[in-house]
Amino acid sequence: MSVDLDKYFARIGWDGGRAPTLATLRALQYAHVLAVPFENVDVVVGTVPSLEVADLEAKLVTGGRGGYCFEHNTLFAAVLEQLGYDVVRHTGRVRAGARPGEVRPRTHLVLVVRVPGEGEGRHLVDVGFGSADALLEPLPLVPGPVRDGRGRRHRLVLEETDGPVQVWVLQIRRGDAWRELVAFTLDPAPAPDIGMANWHVATHPRSPFRRLFVQRTLPAGHLALDGARFTRTAHDGTVTVRELDGAEEIRAVLETEFGITAPPDVRPAR
């Protein structure tokens, strides 16, 4: 199933060229992150999100909704492949907020993209992380160099392990320290494995996505709704927090601030 590229580009506000260049990849990633919010409303109301491209198009493109990492990156991968990019899907472990030594399951999806005509160089692409630390542009798949992408400083490091598979770790610079975001390996993730991870995230009783979690990246800042707590972070780092009063106010904020029309039974937590 292919994506209607005209509808997708209208959704993300893109009217540039469609040649599969690095410049196009950069522009599309940034446009997608700004236009399509991160949200888990379906999980909160008891539904496992479909990863079929037709369903993702109906939800994220024509339906005006958002999604979480599996939905975002599956849709974006399909778009990139139609444009002529070489895309490989990989699962990773979110380390942001993890305790020291904690090993989390592979509940995140990232993409490694090769641009046609650019040799063997590859780029890490991720439009589904959602947070104020997320990548806004492709990051060269090279360990060490720091990349300043639209005001966010990221780098990739290779972690020493006892096993034969290299572990890549995406980090962001915050203040005077590097913070880990995601760890992943370069073994390709087939569709059944991605589907299993998606089901686990949506149904496991201790999944963090069993509570309402919505984020939106703006040119001048970032919005987050965690349960009933609404946080607005300005570009200068100023943070304002407000506790929302009940389901009706939550629905109103979802619509006015995030552009999401939620079903009537959405609640802060399950």
Side-chain angles (χ1 to χ4, degrees):
M1 176 68 188
S2 60
V3 180
D4 186 322
L5 293 179
D6 290 335
K7 291 180 179 178
Y8 173 76
F9 290 142
R11 169 72 165 117
I12 67 171
W14 170 252
D15 59 2
R18 302 188 182 187
T21 65
L22 181 55
T24 300
L25 180 61
R26 285 175 178 157
L28 290 179
Q29 179 169 344
Y30 186 56
H32 182 110
V33 171
L34 291 185
V36 188
F38 180 103
E39 53 113 326
N40 68 329
V41 170
D42 285 356
V43 174
V44 172
V45 299
T47 301
V48 177
S50 170
L51 299 185
E52 294 296 326
V53 171
D55 295 333
L56 293 173
E57 182 175 12
K59 179 181 177 183
L60 278 69
V61 179
T62 59
R65 287 277 304 279
Y68 57 15
C69 70
F70 297 110
E71 298 171 276
H72 277 276
N73 283 323
T74 298
L75 175 66
F76 198 58
V79 169
L80 295 181
E81 287 172 334
Q82 282 182 235
L83 292 174
Y85 295 94
D86 177 37
V87 183
V88 182
R89 298 149 181 82
H90 306 277
T91 53
R93 308 177 194 276
V94 175
R95 289 191 176 175
R99 300 183 300 274
E102 179 183 4
V103 179
R104 291 175 168 176
R106 291 176 177 257
T107 57
H108 189 61
L109 181 66
V110 299
L111 310 175
V112 171
V113 179
R114 180 178 283 115
V115 178
E118 302 235 344
E120 295 302 311
R122 295 173 294 174
H123 292 80
L124 177 66
V125 172
D126 185 358
V127 295
F129 198 73
S131 80
D133 291 337
L135 285 174
L136 298 180
E137 291 187 344
L139 182 65
L141 195 69
V142 178
V146 177
R147 179 65 178 269
D148 192 344
R150 299 184 184 271
R152 300 181 184 182
R153 303 185 72 199
H154 291 93
R155 72 177 182 184
L156 287 165
V157 299
L158 282 174
E159 190 170 76
E160 293 185 7
T161 66
D162 295 330
V165 181
Q166 290 182 318
V167 176
W168 293 75
V169 182
L170 174 65
Q171 300 179 335
I172 188 167
R173 186 77 173 184
R174 286 298 180 194
D176 59 357
W178 287 99
R179 298 183 183 179
E180 296 183 345
L181 299 179
V182 179
F184 61 97
T185 56
L186 294 183
D187 47 322
D193 289 357
I194 296 171
M196 180 62 73
N198 177 52
W199 177 84
H200 173 89
V201 167
T203 63
H204 195 284
R206 292 195 298 274
S207 170
F209 290 112
R210 302 275 286 182
R211 73 180 189 278
L212 186 63
F213 196 50
V214 186
Q215 302 193 80
R216 183 180 180 187
T217 299
L218 304 172
H222 185 266
L223 306 177
L225 180 61
D226 186 349
R229 175 169 292 186
F230 177 50
T231 302
R232 184 188 302 273
T233 304
H235 190 65
D236 64 1
T238 302
V239 176
T240 57
V241 180
R242 178 160 61 99
E243 291 291 334
L244 304 184
D245 185 17
E248 287 306 312
E249 188 173 13
I250 288 172
R251 286 175 51 80
V253 167
L254 285 173
E255 184 167 351
T256 59
E257 299 286 356
F258 296 93
I260 296 170
T261 301
D265 51 346
V266 68
R267 294 291 187 275
R270 294 179 61 193

Coordinates of all heavy atoms in Angstrom, one line a residue, residues 93-99 102 104 129 131 133-134 169-172 179-183 208:
R93 N 16.1 0.7 22.5 CA 15.7 0.8 23.9 C 15.8 2.3 24.4 O 16.8 2.9 24.3 CB 16.6 0.0 24.8 CG 16.8 -1.5 24.3 CD 17.7 -2.2 25.2 NE 18.2 -3.5 24.6 CZ 17.5 -4.6 24.6 NH1 16.3 -4.6 25.3 NH2 17.9 -5.7 24.1
V94 N 14.7 2.8 24.8 CA 14.7 4.2 25.3 C 15.4 4.3 26.6 O 15.1 3.5 27.6 CB 13.2 4.7 25.5 CG1 13.3 6.1 26.1 CG2 12.5 4.7 24.2
R95 N 16.5 5.1 26.7 CA 17.2 5.3 27.9 C 16.9 6.6 28.6 O 17.4 6.8 29.8 CB 18.7 5.2 27.6 CG 19.2 3.8 27.2 CD 20.7 3.6 27.2 NE 21.1 2.3 26.9 CZ 22.4 1.9 26.7 NH1 23.3 2.8 26.8 NH2 22.7 0.7 26.5
A96 N 16.2 7.5 28.0 CA 15.9 8.7 28.6 C 15.0 8.4 29.9 O 14.0 7.7 29.8 CB 15.1 9.6 27.7
G97 N 15.5 8.9 31.0 CA 14.7 8.6 32.3 C 15.0 7.3 32.9 O 14.4 7.0 34.0
A98 N 15.8 6.4 32.3 CA 16.1 5.1 32.9 C 17.0 5.2 34.1 O 17.9 6.1 34.2 CB 16.8 4.2 31.8
R99 N 16.9 4.3 35.0 CA 17.7 4.2 36.2 C 19.1 3.6 35.8 O 19.2 2.9 34.8 CB 17.1 3.3 37.3 CG 15.8 3.8 37.8 CD 15.3 2.9 38.9 NE 15.1 1.5 38.5 CZ 14.0 1.1 37.9 NH1 13.0 1.8 37.7 NH2 14.0 -0.2 37.5
E102 N 19.6 0.0 34.3 CA 18.3 -0.5 33.9 C 18.3 -0.9 32.4 O 18.8 -0.1 31.6 CB 17.2 0.5 34.2 CG 15.8 0.0 33.7 CD 14.7 1.1 33.9 OE1 15.1 2.2 34.3 OE2 13.6 0.8 33.7
R104 N 15.9 -1.7 29.5 CA 14.5 -1.7 29.0 C 14.3 -2.5 27.8 O 15.2 -2.8 27.0 CB 14.1 -0.2 28.8 CG 14.0 0.6 30.0 CD 13.7 2.1 29.7 NE 13.4 2.9 30.9 CZ 13.2 4.2 30.9 NH1 13.3 4.8 29.7 NH2 12.8 4.8 32.0
F129 N 10.1 10.3 18.3 CA 10.5 10.4 19.7 C 9.7 11.4 20.5 O 9.3 11.1 21.7 CB 12.0 10.7 19.8 CG 12.6 10.4 21.1 CD1 12.8 9.1 21.5 CD2 12.9 11.4 22.1 CE1 13.4 8.7 22.7 CE2 13.5 11.0 23.3 CZ 13.7 9.7 23.6
S131 N 9.8 14.1 22.2 CA 10.2 15.0 23.3 C 11.0 16.3 22.8 O 11.4 16.4 21.7 CB 11.1 14.3 24.4 OG 12.4 14.2 23.9
D133 N 13.9 16.8 23.3 CA 15.3 16.3 23.0 C 15.4 15.6 21.7 O 16.5 15.2 21.3 CB 15.8 15.4 24.1 CG 16.0 16.1 25.5 OD1 16.2 17.3 25.5 OD2 16.0 15.4 26.5
A134 N 14.3 15.4 21.0 CA 14.3 14.6 19.8 C 15.1 15.2 18.7 O 15.3 16.4 18.6 CB 12.8 14.4 19.4
V169 N 24.4 4.5 20.7 CA 23.6 5.3 21.6 C 23.5 6.8 21.1 O 24.5 7.4 20.9 CB 24.3 5.3 23.0 CG1 23.4 6.1 24.0 CG2 24.5 3.9 23.5
L170 N 22.3 7.2 21.0 CA 22.0 8.6 20.7 C 22.0 9.4 22.0 O 21.3 9.1 22.9 CB 20.6 8.7 20.0 CG 20.2 10.2 19.7 CD1 21.1 10.8 18.7 CD2 18.7 10.1 19.1
Q171 N 22.7 10.5 22.0 CA 22.8 11.4 23.1 C 22.5 12.8 22.7 O 22.7 13.2 21.6 CB 24.2 11.3 23.7 CG 24.7 10.0 24.2 CD 26.1 10.0 24.7 OE1 26.9 10.8 24.4 NE2 26.4 9.0 25.6
I172 N 22.1 13.6 23.7 CA 21.8 15.0 23.5 C 22.6 15.8 24.6 O 22.8 15.3 25.7 CB 20.3 15.4 23.6 CG1 20.1 16.9 23.2 CG2 19.8 15.1 25.0 CD1 18.7 17.2 23.0
R179 N 23.3 13.4 27.7 CA 22.3 12.6 28.2 C 21.9 11.5 27.2 O 21.7 11.9 26.0 CB 21.1 13.4 28.7 CG 21.3 14.4 29.8 CD 20.1 15.1 30.2 NE 20.4 16.1 31.2 CZ 19.4 16.9 31.7 NH1 18.2 16.8 31.3 NH2 19.7 17.8 32.6
E180 N 21.7 10.3 27.6 CA 21.4 9.2 26.7 C 19.9 9.3 26.4 O 19.0 9.5 27.3 CB 21.7 7.9 27.2 CG 23.2 7.7 27.4 CD 23.6 6.3 27.9 OE1 22.7 5.6 28.4 OE2 24.8 5.9 27.8
L181 N 19.5 9.1 25.1 CA 18.1 9.1 24.7 C 17.7 7.7 24.3 O 16.7 7.1 24.8 CB 17.9 10.0 23.5 CG 18.2 11.5 23.8 CD1 18.0 12.3 22.5 CD2 17.4 12.0 24.9
V182 N 18.4 7.0 23.3 CA 18.0 5.8 22.8 C 19.3 4.9 22.5 O 20.3 5.5 22.0 CB 17.2 5.9 21.4 CG1 16.8 4.5 20.9 CG2 16.0 6.7 21.7
A183 N 19.2 3.6 22.7 CA 20.3 2.7 22.3 C 19.7 1.7 21.3 O 18.6 1.3 21.5 CB 20.8 1.9 23.5
P208 N 4.4 2.7 30.1 CA 4.2 4.1 30.4 C 3.1 4.7 29.5 O 2.6 5.8 29.9 CB 5.5 4.7 30.2 CG 6.2 3.8 29.2 CD 5.7 2.4 29.6

